[in-house]
Amino acid sequence: FHPRGAMADAEREDDLYTFKELPLKRSPKPYKRDSTEEKFWRKFQFPIVVKEYAAVSSVHFAASPPYDFVVTSGSRVQVYSSVTNQVKKTVSRFREAAYSCCFRHDGSLLAAGSEEGIVKVFDANSRAILRQCRGHSKPVKAVRFSLDGLKLVSGSDDTTVRYWDMSTETCISIFEGHEDYIRSVVASPASTDLVFSGSYDHALMLWDLRSPSPVLRLNHGAPVETVLVFPSGGTCVSAGGNFVKVWDVLSGGKLLAAFSNHQKTVTALGFDGSGQRLFSGGLDKCVRAPVPVATCSYVS
């Protein structure tokens, strides 16, 4: 036994059990560009909750500065500032429930349907009643201004769509073809002669003021809650049940796309400010943006 040999063996054994940390090569992190989706959603902030005294049946934004929005709730409508989100004006000239209040394109007038079956037009500043269009026999649940802002289109539970001359308060045209309550009407943004309507009879119809019959009838497959038309006027969107459908009007009503992102009935549709994204809201308490509008393609 040699002491030096024993010490050498011990040192070698210690080296076997001693952990030696190896240096790690760190690569630079790859540069990540924000996607279009991430940039879009980052623009939004936390929601501001405004409590109404009754169920909100519609919200409509003005198309001209200062881009205020009007909320229909119970028997009154309220105009909110888009900057402060505070109430600017309240209109309560309704005996019963009000429906579908909307701005004219210049923001100077408001129009709303009512439980009494009357379409009422108000001055957006003074809140005075300027016109009352009478003719529907049941509640008017849908109202919109025409492209030129001089006419009104309304849809009622009496299953008719009516076109009104605001200056004389008279009905110019009556469109009969739906078999159930009408829940949405839209004047075409591309022509003063075309009107879209959606009903609980599952039908989405396109009307021409020069013809008493619908020029196009599309089957949504469920009661239609709301209709939206693209700014070009050549494409429209219908919502009902838990799905949304996009239609090519110019090709005779060809189905472009169908989305089913909600668990319950879809009740509202809207575009973002650029018109590039379609939003939907439903009874499942969700607001969704299925896909950018540009990605819609023909459904085989």
Side-chain angles (χ1 to χ4, degrees):
F1 178 77
H2 196 283
R4 289 185 178 180
M7 291 178 62
D9 292 339
E11 288 177 358
R12 284 196 295 270
E13 188 174 348
D14 288 343
D15 290 341
L16 291 175
Y17 293 100
T18 301
F19 173 75
K20 295 182 179 180
E21 184 177 358
L22 297 176
L24 296 177
K25 293 184 179 180
R26 299 184 179 275
S27 302
K29 291 184 179 180
Y31 175 72
K32 181 185 177 183
R33 291 187 176 182
D34 291 338
S35 66
T36 304
E37 290 289 312
E38 291 173 330
K39 290 180 181 178
F40 176 80
W41 290 109
R42 195 177 293 120
K43 295 186 298 183
F44 291 88
Q45 299 177 353
F46 290 103
I48 298 174
V49 179
V50 179
K51 186 68 175 178
E52 283 284 354
Y53 82 105
V56 175
S57 59
S58 74
V59 178
H60 188 261
F61 282 83
S64 58
Y67 305 109
D68 292 335
F69 59 97
V70 60
V71 177
T72 308
S73 173
S75 60
R76 71 182 184 185
V77 299
Q78 292 187 307
V79 178
Y80 285 81
S81 167
S82 61
V83 177
T84 65
N85 297 304
Q86 299 298 315
V87 177
K88 295 176 66 175
K89 294 180 176 63
T90 299
V91 180
S92 54
R93 305 291 185 90
F94 299 91
R95 295 179 181 177
E96 299 180 68
Y99 301 105
S100 188
C101 190
C102 62
F103 279 104
R104 193 166 73 169
H105 59 79
D106 59 1
S108 63
L109 297 179
L110 293 168
S114 65
E115 189 73 21
E116 309 105 88
I118 304 172
V119 179
K120 299 183 180 182
V121 181
F122 302 90
D123 185 295
N125 293 317
S126 68
R127 297 171 295 174
I129 298 179
L130 302 180
R131 297 288 186 273
Q132 296 191 76
C133 301
R134 304 172 185 269
H136 284 293
S137 59
K138 290 185 178 180
V140 179
K141 298 290 183 71
V143 176
R144 284 296 182 267
F145 285 96
S146 63
L147 178 62
D148 58 13
L150 303 177
K151 310 290 192 303
L152 286 167
V153 57
S154 61
S156 168
D157 284 359
D158 63 11
T159 73
T160 66
V161 176
R162 294 177 181 249
Y163 200 65
W164 306 87
D165 181 1
M166 278 198 301
S167 62
T168 60
E169 298 179 323
T170 57
C171 181
I172 301 173
S173 301
I174 301 177
F175 302 112
E176 299 176 320
H178 284 294
E179 300 175 356
D180 208 333
Y181 299 157
I182 297 172
R183 284 294 175 266
S184 181
V185 292
V186 184
S188 171
S191 173
T192 56
D193 296 320
L194 299 179
V195 172
F196 294 82
S197 63
S199 167
Y200 278 180
D201 61 4
H202 299 200
L204 167 63
M205 293 189 182
L206 173 62
W207 307 88
D208 190 318
L209 299 181
R210 297 158 292 189
S211 173
S213 302
V215 296
L216 185 64
R217 181 188 180 102
L218 304 172
N219 183 12
H220 178 76
V224 179
E225 297 285 348
T226 184
V227 178
L228 188 65
V229 183
F230 280 59
S232 64
T235 308
C236 67
V237 188
S238 59
N242 67 335
F243 53 90
V244 176
K245 291 186 176 182
V246 184
W247 309 89
D248 187 345
V249 177
L250 297 180
S251 67
K254 189 176 182 66
L255 183 62
L256 289 176
F259 311 108
S260 182
N261 294 353
H262 288 270
Q263 300 301 317
K264 294 185 179 181
T265 301
V266 182
T267 58
L269 293 171
F271 291 119
D272 69 341
S274 64
Q276 299 301 310
R277 290 178 181 273
L278 174 66
F279 289 85
S280 61
L283 296 180
D284 56 4
K285 301 180 181 180
C286 293
V287 176
R288 301 184 184 275
V291 293
V293 169
T295 63
C296 293
S297 59
Y298 283 97
V299 175
S300 58

